[in-house]
Amino acid sequence: MQDVHAAMLRIMDIRQPFAIFEVFCVIFFILWRLYGILRVPEGIPSSNAVYSVPTPWNHYTMVSSAHHIEEVRGASEEQLSFEAIGEEMFHYTHLFHGFTPDRILRPKGRISQRVVRGLFMQHLPTLKPTILHKIDAAFETSINSRLAGGKANLSLTGSSSPKSSSLEWVSVPIVAMCRRVVGDLTILHVLGNHLTDDPSMMAAASQFPEDAIYVGEALRYVPNLFASGVASIVTQRHRALRTLVNGLYPVVVERLKKHISEGEVEDKPLDAIQWIIDASPKKNPWTIERFLREIIGHLIFSSHAPKFALVMAIYSLCLHPEYLEPLRVEAQAATSHDFANEAEEMPLMDSFLRESARLNPIDGGN
């Protein structure tokens, strides 16, 4: 209901022309959830049932037995395509207007896995101070905007101002706060420090993942004949995408020239742009367009799942406040040691996040 309230408020702002559509999607989602709750018991004759839940755009097949779940987990890409699900959800062809329509956005592909699980994790100790600063700044901005209408200030790393010292509690919109935290980290991870100094690039990088959701939801109810026009309207003629392409193009060209002329050097920018260039195939080099789509695609894949995982983790903490102090003590003890051992030194935090993700699954992935 918090999302409905926020969207209703934005209807009053003419600068948010799609707030009405957002309210419609949220209300429809709530009604669909209620329909699904009422529908599921009718289709379960036994604990090992396979049943279907119809929706206006698709039929979802549900399995409940351990045998069937294992079959789904072990299905090949030809049987259950993650890319096909992505195309059905986000409609990449219409979202990436002006690009060659092919299946290139592969969040579980070799390049993406090497960038996220390989190169990013390899440089994480170096990036850690910047990441922690971004997290503190995002939380401070979200909280300070709610303290006495923005007149009081709270510092997560220092002392509070006199105006805020007497405030013990403050109400914040959790989804918006988590969107800011994860969004700032995602933009830093993908674009690096250089491009994040440009306010227009920051605004476009924040807006484009939201455009992906709006396009995906809108095109569920639109015939293919009108899909391109509706996508253009929802994204304000693909304004965020055009800004990203115009800003990224010269950077990618310059990085590629250095990559070809200088080869492997130690002093490289620590961002997804450089890591994608380093991980790209050497035998069949990519075009500039392919690099742009891969880089911009990372903005989508790196934002939605972490944002909702963070939201649900905070909700889980609110439901189980008895874990707050043990988790805080464990985290404070771990951050005083070497970074490489921090994950192993926080088994309680690891277990809590895994259980929160298990009880509130974001998608069909692990």
Side-chain angles (χ1 to χ4, degrees):
M1 297 305 295
Q2 184 182 43
D3 287 344
V4 177
H5 176 67
M8 290 292 292
L9 291 178
R10 285 197 290 273
I11 291 179
M12 307 303 296
D13 189 349
I14 61 174
R15 294 171 297 177
Q16 300 289 344
F18 305 111
I20 296 177
F21 173 74
E22 183 182 352
V23 172
F24 168 76
C25 290
V26 172
I27 295 176
F28 183 86
F29 174 75
I30 294 173
L31 294 176
W32 175 64
R33 287 289 296 271
L34 293 175
Y35 170 77
I37 293 173
L38 297 174
R39 174 76 183 181
V40 168
E42 300 176 5
I44 308 182
S46 68
S47 60
N48 296 325
V50 177
Y51 59 97
S52 178
V53 177
T55 69
W57 54 87
N58 215 332
H59 277 66
Y60 290 92
T61 301
M62 308 294 181
V63 298
S64 55
S65 69
H67 173 71
H68 290 139
I69 292 174
E70 196 60 33
E71 280 190 347
V72 173
R73 287 172 56 89
S76 64
E77 184 70 16
E78 288 72 24
Q79 294 173 312
L80 293 175
S81 173
F82 194 87
E83 294 178 48
I85 294 175
E87 173 61 33
E88 182 178 292
M89 290 179 59
F90 295 111
H91 298 272
Y92 297 138
T93 303
H94 301 292
L95 179 63
F96 284 83
H97 176 73
F99 286 83
T100 304
D102 57 7
R103 296 167 65 189
I104 63 152
L105 296 179
R106 303 184 61 188
K108 294 192 176 182
R110 182 183 65 85
I111 301 298
S112 299
Q113 294 297 308
R114 184 180 176 192
V115 169
V116 176
R117 297 188 178 183
L119 296 171
F120 174 68
M121 295 302 297
Q122 176 184 338
H123 295 95
L124 191 53
T126 305
L127 294 170
K128 181 185 174 182
T130 305
I131 291 174
L132 293 178
H133 174 73
K134 282 285 185 181
I135 293 174
D136 287 344
F139 274 114
E140 286 180 15
T141 302
S142 299
I143 296 174
N144 286 333
S145 65
R146 307 287 293 186
L147 285 173
K151 296 180 180 179
N153 291 307
L154 174 70
S155 173
L156 299 181
T157 56
S159 59
S160 303
S161 68
K163 294 182 180 181
S164 63
S165 59
S166 60
L167 298 176
E168 295 183 359
W169 298 97
V170 59
S171 174
V172 295
I174 185 172
V175 175
M177 181 178 68
C178 292
R179 182 187 294 123
R180 177 186 292 274
V181 173
V182 175
D184 288 355
L185 291 179
T186 300
I187 295 170
L188 174 67
H189 158 68
V190 176
L191 303 183
N193 288 317
H194 175 66
L195 287 175
T196 53
D197 293 334
D198 185 345
S200 63
M201 286 294 289
M202 284 289 292
S206 299
Q207 182 60 42
F208 186 71
E210 301 301 316
D211 286 350
I213 295 296
Y214 293 148
V215 169
E217 290 296 322
L219 297 192
R220 289 185 179 189
Y221 316 101
V222 175
N224 289 333
L225 178 64
F226 306 106
S228 179
V230 171
S232 178
I233 294 174
V234 170
T235 60
Q236 302 183 54
R237 299 182 62 186
H238 306 279
R239 183 171 63 181
L241 177 63
R242 286 187 282 110
T243 302
L244 288 172
V245 170
N246 293 335
L248 283 169
Y249 186 88
V251 175
V252 173
V253 171
E254 181 184 357
R255 299 269 189 100
L256 283 173
K257 289 180 179 178
K258 289 184 178 181
H259 181 73
I260 296 173
S261 61
E262 300 177 6
E264 294 294 330
V265 295
E266 293 185 0
D267 189 16
K268 290 183 179 181
L270 299 181
D271 53 45
I273 300 175
Q274 188 63 48
W275 297 331
I276 290 172
I277 292 175
D278 293 341
S280 62
K282 304 300 186 291
K283 292 184 179 180
N284 298 307
W286 286 356
T287 63
I288 300 296
E289 179 183 337
R290 175 68 183 270
F291 278 111
L292 291 175
R293 285 179 294 187
E294 192 76 24
I295 293 167
I296 296 174
H298 268 70
L299 288 173
I300 301 176
F301 305 139
S302 303
S303 60
H304 293 301
K307 176 182 68 179
F308 287 110
L310 178 59
V311 169
M312 300 316 301
I314 294 177
Y315 276 137
S316 298
L317 278 175
C318 294
L319 293 173
H320 301 279
E322 66 272 16
Y323 289 109
L324 277 169
E325 189 59 27
L327 287 171
R328 182 182 293 113
V329 171
E330 184 185 68
Q332 290 173 344
T335 53
S336 63
H337 295 80
D338 182 63
F339 178 84
N341 299 323
E342 282 186 11
E344 297 180 0
E345 293 177 0
M346 292 191 289
L348 181 59
M349 179 72 73
D350 181 71
S351 299
F352 185 88
L353 293 176
R354 286 177 180 271
E355 187 68 3
S356 174
R358 185 185 71 84
L359 295 174
N360 307 282
I362 307 301
D363 53 28
N366 292 328

